[in-house]
Amino acid sequence: MSTETTDDEDKKRSKLEKMYPIGLGLVSLMHERDLITFINDNNGNVRVMKKKGSNSYSIPSHLYAVCNFDISLLPIKLNLPMVCKPLDWTSACPPGEEPRTLSDLSGGYLSGPTGEIYDRYRLLSTGSLHHYSLYIGRGKGDSKKLCGVMNTLQGQAFKINSDWLKYILENENSFVEYGYLKPRFLVSLNLKKAYDLLREFHMKDKVINQFCSFSELLQTLNKNIQCSRYEDFIIKLAIAYDGYHFYLPAFLDFRGRIYRSGILHFHERDLARSLILFAGTESKDSISEEMKIQIMVAAAFHYKKFITVDHAKEWCLNNFYNLEKNLIDFAREAKHPFQFLAIAIGLCNNKTDVLLNTPITQDASASAYQIMSYFLMDEILAKRTNLIPSEDGEIKDLYSFLLEELIEFMKAELDNKSLSNTVCQILTRKIVKNLFMPIIYGKTLMSTTMDLKDNLSHYITYKDCCVVAKACFQFWNQRYPGMNCLIRLIRHIGWIASAGDRPVFYKVPYFTTVQDSMKMEATKIWVYDRLHKKKRGVTLRIATSQRNRKKTVTSTFVNFIHQRDAYIAMNVVESMLFSNWPIYTVHDNFISTVEKSN
């Protein structure tokens, strides 16, 4: 008996000796290094629990580990570019069955798409999979056509612009000094200590106290820290992928628009876009002068707008050969400074491989208005949006025309001449674009008034802003009745479907979009506010079974337009399926190389 007991104890002891508390040690290490803080509240990702037999909701009380750094920067939460070709999108249904939804397709990442990826792109307006979805067409080969477009786009290889990346790293201090990049030390800043120091200095400094509050300073600091972390991560990604060919898996949202996952692609901001080149183009010993001029013109349009391509060429010839003196200083006024500099560095180094693979961008000109001008057969609007090219070669700007017409309308229609003169002097193209571009999104009189208040409050009162907003809507209805009627027509169709207790269906040959907005019910739960050390009531909005007619009406037209531009892009890509041309689409924006850009 004693021998058996000893053997059992030895076995238990040997098992215990082989079990290492790695998880506990890792958590302890993170806590010691101030990477995490333990709190007893509910600020983490929690599940809302409904109490049995009542309509109230609650969240369980647990101990949480709160990160002292931006958790969104963790690589595990990012879907990065692939260094091997993505899996082709194909049907995941049994043989003989046609795929009906996106879930019936498989492709992209080798591990298969996760629910998180689909949630991000399919559910742009709601948290429920049942409210917005996409059905693949029942026509013969519709799913193959859809997959063919996605496979063409995600099969395009890219590479890092090594020369430009090297230039950034060598001149990082200058980029920070001139305001292109945020200081690198912000990346590793301890947020808690920074907040405490900022509060302390704000209390002591009487001058700063008068001009801005602590919350405003804190917001500015947070914005700069976030920007610095983004820039640092983009540059680190570029360093990691430098020398490789990489691919960008394609995913669809519920309107058929194609997106890319992660943060290193052409859907991103100026810095990320500037670091990417096309890959796979045949290398040549030299390129023609005509191609160099085209690349210069592409760079010029990253610097500012031009009326014609000839004006851009003239600007290039007058400026490009003097850039080497102080290139960084010259680009400070550029519209897209990083992309402008990346092309300029390629031209200065005169590397054929870089120039041949430089992305040449062509964005649509007010694409929603282009599509509306087509439906309305409105020749004037089509010319103003460049859908019909101008005979004199000028690039028309719709919002400049709207600005001129609105000023004339204000002078003629506003009874208060003093208000009319004031508004006409301070109206700009940017203000007019902010007023009329969101018309397709259901912009209201109240939101227009608030926009005018934000831009013109130094010159006119809130009451005057209301008068000007009404005049803007009156101008729109009188000057462009066709577009107003088209928008209302499509929205009324959505209202009829919703009033009949049915979803709204949008159909094109590739797929059908399903829009089914539901009313949200407000429900209050209680959470512990860590900042103010007390409980607070938080209102959650939970979907009901009743359809939301108002939201359906508002979103019907914008979803209709977005589906149309997605369909246009797909047709363009489908026409290039067998040509092997470099191609990338950002909705209605097409990107290719200098050889194929025309």
Side-chain angles (χ1 to χ4, degrees), residues 226-245:
Q226 184 180 13
C227 185
S228 179
R229 287 173 171 173
Y230 168 80
E231 293 165 353
D232 179 67
F233 190 64
I234 288 290
I235 292 172
K236 285 181 177 177
L237 271 183
I239 294 171
Y241 283 97
D242 191 19
Y244 293 93
H245 284 190

Side-chain angles (χ1 to χ4, degrees), residues 270-323:
D270 187 32
L271 176 61
R273 294 178 71 143
S274 71
L275 289 162
I276 304 173
L277 295 175
F278 283 99
T281 303
E282 293 182 7
S283 60
K284 297 181 180 180
D285 296 332
S286 62
I287 63 173
S288 65
E289 284 299 318
E290 183 182 354
M291 285 186 180
K292 281 190 178 180
I293 294 294
Q294 286 182 321
I295 294 172
M296 286 183 182
V297 170
F301 277 98
H302 282 306
Y303 191 86
K304 64 177 183 178
K305 291 185 176 181
F306 293 92
I307 298 175
T308 66
V309 174
D310 290 335
H311 281 79
K313 289 180 182 178
E314 183 181 350
W315 183 88
C316 292
L317 296 174
N318 292 333
N319 293 278
F320 251 86
Y321 295 104
N322 299 319
L323 290 181

Side-chain angles (χ1 to χ4, degrees), residues 388-430:
I388 298 177
S390 175
E391 295 176 357
D392 56 7
E394 286 192 4
I395 302 169
K396 304 297 184 182
D397 179 32
L398 173 65
Y399 300 109
S400 296
F401 285 109
L402 289 176
L403 173 61
E404 294 174 5
E405 292 175 344
L406 182 60
I407 289 175
E408 291 178 6
F409 183 85
M410 293 281 186
K411 289 178 179 178
E413 298 295 329
L414 282 181
D415 296 331
N416 189 334
K417 297 304 176 184
S418 174
L419 175 61
S420 173
N421 292 333
T422 302
V423 171
C424 290
Q425 289 179 29
I426 56 182
L427 274 179
T428 63
R429 178 192 177 277
K430 184 178 180 181

Side-chain angles (χ1 to χ4, degrees), residues 51-283:
K51 294 182 178 179
K52 291 184 178 179
S54 69
N55 291 325
S56 60
Y57 293 78
S58 65
I59 50 180
S61 177
H62 296 294
L63 183 69
Y64 290 93
V66 178
C67 292
N68 297 329
F69 56 90
D70 189 355
I71 194 171
S72 65
L73 295 177
L74 288 173
I76 195 171
K77 291 182 69 66
L78 293 174
N79 300 291
L80 301 175
M82 298 177 65
V83 291
C84 62
K85 198 170 182 179
L87 290 176
D88 282 344
W89 286 94
T90 57
S91 172
C93 297
E97 291 187 19
E98 285 290 326
R100 289 289 295 126
T101 67
L102 291 180
S103 301
D104 295 332
L105 301 177
S106 65
Y109 287 106
L110 302 182
S111 58
T114 64
E116 183 180 350
I117 296 176
Y118 274 134
D119 289 350
R120 181 175 177 185
Y121 296 118
R122 291 175 65 188
L123 311 175
L124 302 184
S125 305
T126 179
S128 173
L129 283 166
H130 304 290
H131 293 178
Y132 292 88
S133 57
L134 182 147
Y135 291 155
I136 300 170
R138 292 183 179 274
K140 186 177 181 181
D142 277 349
S143 63
K144 291 183 179 179
K145 289 182 180 179
L146 188 66
C147 292
V149 169
M150 296 173 68
N151 294 335
T152 299
L153 290 173
Q154 72 176 11
Q156 173 61 52
F158 299 93
K159 61 183 178 182
I160 296 297
N161 188 339
S162 302
D163 293 345
W164 168 233
L165 175 61
K166 182 181 178 182
Y167 187 87
I168 292 176
L169 297 175
E170 290 177 350
N171 297 276
E172 184 176 354
N173 292 335
S174 297
F175 278 110
V176 173
E177 181 183 349
Y178 280 98
Y180 292 92
L181 298 173
K182 299 297 179 185
R184 188 71 67 92
F185 73 85
L186 291 174
V187 174
S188 55
L189 200 65
N190 186 302
L191 298 183
K192 188 176 184 305
K193 291 181 180 178
Y195 295 166
D196 293 340
L197 284 173
L198 185 64
R199 184 185 292 107
E200 181 183 341
F201 288 129
H202 180 263
M203 291 295 292
K204 291 179 180 178
D205 197 314
K206 302 298 182 183
V207 178
I208 296 294
N209 243 309
Q210 295 176 354
F211 285 98
C212 59
S213 64
F214 170 70
S215 61
E216 290 173 331
L217 284 177
L218 189 60
Q219 185 178 7
T220 303
L221 176 63
N222 282 331
K223 185 177 179 180
N224 288 330
I225 290 173
Q226 184 180 13
C227 185
S228 179
R229 287 173 171 173
Y230 168 80
E231 293 165 353
D232 179 67
F233 190 64
I234 288 290
I235 292 172
K236 285 181 177 177
L237 271 183
I239 294 171
Y241 283 97
D242 191 19
Y244 293 93
H245 284 190
F246 60 88
Y247 301 84
L248 302 168
F251 301 94
L252 287 175
D253 77 344
F254 70 96
R255 296 167 300 200
R257 282 187 155 194
I258 295 175
Y259 288 82
R260 306 305 174 100
S261 192
I263 61 172
L264 188 63
H265 47 66
F266 289 109
H267 283 68
E268 270 294 323
R269 285 167 269 183
D270 187 32
L271 176 61
R273 294 178 71 143
S274 71
L275 289 162
I276 304 173
L277 295 175
F278 283 99
T281 303
E282 293 182 7
S283 60

Side-chain angles (χ1 to χ4, degrees), residues 446-498:
M446 178 58 69
S447 61
T448 303
T449 302
M450 297 308 297
D451 284 347
L452 289 170
K453 177 177 175 291
D454 292 339
N455 289 289
L456 310 180
S457 59
H458 291 294
Y459 309 97
I460 60 177
T461 64
Y462 177 77
K463 185 177 180 181
D464 291 334
C465 289
C466 295
V467 174
V468 175
K470 289 179 181 177
C472 290
F473 271 76
Q474 188 180 356
F475 159 77
W476 174 259
N477 294 333
Q478 290 183 13
R479 182 62 186 82
Y480 296 97
M483 285 194 288
N484 185 41
C485 288
L486 178 63
I487 293 172
R488 290 172 61 191
L489 170 66
I490 302 299
R491 286 179 179 167
H492 285 334
I493 293 172
W495 182 87
I496 291 170
S498 184

